[in-house]
Amino acid sequence: MTIPSAEGFLHAASCLPCTADEERDLVVALTREAEENVKDGDLRFLVSHSWWINWQRYVGLIKPDENDADMLPQAPSRPGEIDNSKLVLEESSSVGDEPELQRTLREGDDYALVPQEVWTKLHEWYKGGPELSRKVICNSPTSKSYIVDVYPLCLKLFDGRDSSERIIRISRKAKVRELYSMVCSLMSVEQSKIDIWDYYQKTKNKKLINLNETVEEAQLMMDQEIIVEVKADDAWHSDLGTRSNNELALIPLEPSTSSLSIAGGPAFSNGFSPGFSSSFAQDNSFNTLLRNTEDGYSSFSNGTKDDIHGLSGLHNLGNTCFMNSAIQSLVHTPPLVEYFLQDDSWEINTENPLGLQGELAIAFGKLLIKLWSAGRTSVAPRAFKTNLSRFAPQFSGYNQHDSQELLAFLLDGLHEDLNRVKKKPYIEAKDADGRPDEELAEECWNYHKARNDSIIVDKFQGQYKSTLVCPDCKKISVTFDPFMYLSLPLPSTVTRMMNVTVFSGTGDALPMPYTVKVQKNGVCGDLIKSLSVMCCLQSSEKLLLAEVYNHCIHRYWNPSEPLCHIKDEDKLVAYRLPIGSENLLRVEILHRVVDRYTSDSVFITRKLIGSPLVSCIPNDSTRKSDIYATVSALLAPFVRAKVHTLDESAAKLNSNGPTLDGIVLTDNGATHEEDVSTSNADEEAADEQVLPFQLWLTDDKASKRDPVDADSNGAPGSTLRLLMDWSDREHEVYDMKYMDELPVVFRPGFMSKKNRQEAVNLFSCLDAFLKDEPLGPDDMWYCPRCKEHKQASKKLDLWRLPEILVVHLKRFSYSRFMKNKLDTFVNFPIHDLDMSRYANHTSIGDQPPIYELYAVINHYGGMGGGHYSAYAKLVEEDSWYHFDDSHVSSVGEEEIRTSSAYLLFYQRVGSSSCSVSKNVTVDTDMVDSLDT
């Protein structure tokens, strides 16, 4: 379809309102034109995400049931005025009329970006606001990639002449030259007359003299101070450092340390729009990083000078607690402390194309040295964050991120920067060919070490065994792979509670709801199997799983379909039918209530009610009497207690009609009947009676109504759908409440408190991680024997354990429909973590793999906001400390275990840098759990 040019639509002066289709086509055309001709300096406008979604539904760009599983199909209404009020701060401190954005916004969750032309049209049609524009900047001239500077750098500008203060905003990608031009324009001075100084934390750090570097490369952070010195007309000989504090009279302003955050999210939150390329321009000059060793680090003593090392805090540069906690855990890792504090070189590899030319390792080493300086000081990790942001744009900006994701990047980046292998050899992996696991594992480890050899591999990396089994041909594939940390699921995150209502297909029992616990990565067959046990299914029966929507059967679930396709808000039913029922005629009964005017009996409403009933009958038993008898039998359990007997016609139908008790199924699914036929005389007599209820032939949506004739034959394997009208008479006889309300598969609010109260131990998390489970539908394995992708079963085993064991507790879970954080308390050992039962191989002699805890990263709060801190142990002192950004305090060992523990750091006993504490009480509760 060709979209017409935007010029072909209504003239701007026209006052006629556009239709939804006209609005859609115009916005699509304008957006396409803007994206095809994007250039540096273009404007993009922020629009409230909720309003944008409503508009897209209105014009038909989003179907009514997309992005909102609870929304019933209906005609979307025209949205109201554009409301961007939730995107801005209530009290803005910005200069001018432009409001200031909230600091924790995410594109796709809180706002959408639209071109200027689209915003103009939307505002013309809907009014509202406020108007929020941001510039498009060129990220890479060579690749022609662009980004939207959603969060420009906010700086506090001090005038050294009168100590006045003002707020300025400038892109992080702007050159220092542009900063000078902006300041000169604001102060009405010539550039040659001023000097701009980095004045972070009221301390003069350096003069900004490199006009060609970006303000980000100059290590200017959000909300920090800069100060301007205006030179006198005569000789200028003074220096800011020679002036007294009283003369400057500067107001102390701290950078933002807000802990409001979005934790663990997979999306970028770097102050730029992730809709464009998010990579930063890189300066890989090795020499530039070696200059100014102390540059960017500001230390402030708390007045106590002592010989204690390793108790320095880290300033929060604005939601950087996730980074601070990871840094504190690593700089208190004994092997890394020994490595970076030694005098000789750090084995920097500047030739590794996978590394960062050594810059990340050098920045980390400089920061570690600073943190281990004598005394209790607080360090601002600005230079480290600048280098981190250059090479990992997802961690730039000032929004919260996942500490585990940062830790994984740091370990991998440090490894590549410190890799002793200058040129990695190409090694072709060999098949197992039936060789022993010991031989194959050693070969794979040697291959890995031939390409990867660093202090990180020596201390942090282990090896696990992965076994895949094809579900069809039973082909077994065994591989041995390295790991840097263990991401352990909490037991409640690998299983799923599902509610299913079981209906009888023969009418011998009322519907009964069941709650079944199944593996999240399982298939519907697993659910049917567990449900069969719970409902005491007979060997001659089977369960037919179906989804009910709008009182109709929406679909039947195949046993091989993944459970992840079933949403929590769905309603599931299972029908008990005889084995071989697929060869019989399936009968579905829908229920409809009819309201009438009492005066002239005119129909006013017809609506479906209750839950469908399902049964099956022989293919040649489709006479009218057979159908009525089958329905009457299914309704028998719903007869009210006060109704002692059915009316005469219903009783006669039941006595004459076919029953499944009389159906005998052979091995091949064929049937023969014992005394199930009715005589023609009986059938004619039944037709003459007043029927107990009214049935109609219908379709799957109950959109048509045809009478049931004396002979209503159905083809083998097809479905006979019936519609039953419910009047006051039927309601008096049958109790509809048993099939009126079906529970949803899972109600998160109902189980949330229970999830928080549950307590598990670390070993149960390990067991869940190592448990045999099927692969997910998005992670299928290609079977070399079957020559196609299969949902194989996977089993992990720990083969080689590292000296430093990092354990990640997977508290955050994501799906298309929900995000969740588990506050489950995990009981983990502080001393004597014995991994003997899990390790198949040891790399440190014959010593058992016993570990001591030395650091913990905590996450407090939920998905929409949170804060990170760390516990770390000074091994030499055998004492624990709490590192909460710049605040460092002593903490008792008994306080280390909390429900906020997110990452655990263990060191193996017997390693050169590990000392075992004396007179330590063994965690008996953890030891006892090994026997359970």
Side-chain angles (χ1 to χ4, degrees), residues 307 645 690 919:
D307 294 331
T645 58
V690 177
N919 301 322

Side-chain angles (χ1 to χ4, degrees), residues 160 197 199 204 227 229 236 238-244 248 250:
W197 290 79
Y199 202 69
K204 185 184 67 172
I227 191 166
E229 291 179 339
W236 175 260
S238 64
D239 184 89
L240 182 64
T242 64
R243 301 188 180 189
S244 65
L248 289 175
L250 297 181

Side-chain angles (χ1 to χ4, degrees), residues 17 101 189 440 542 620 692 788 811 826 881:
L101 290 180
V189 295
L440 180 61
K542 61 177 287 187
D620 55 354
E788 59 181 332
R811 295 192 178 275
V826 178
Y881 291 88

Side-chain angles (χ1 to χ4, degrees), residues 117-133:
E117 298 79 6
V118 172
W119 167 260
T120 301
K121 282 298 178 183
L122 292 176
H123 192 264
E124 175 186 326
W125 295 329
Y126 295 94
K127 309 303 179 186
E131 181 177 291
L132 303 170
S133 62

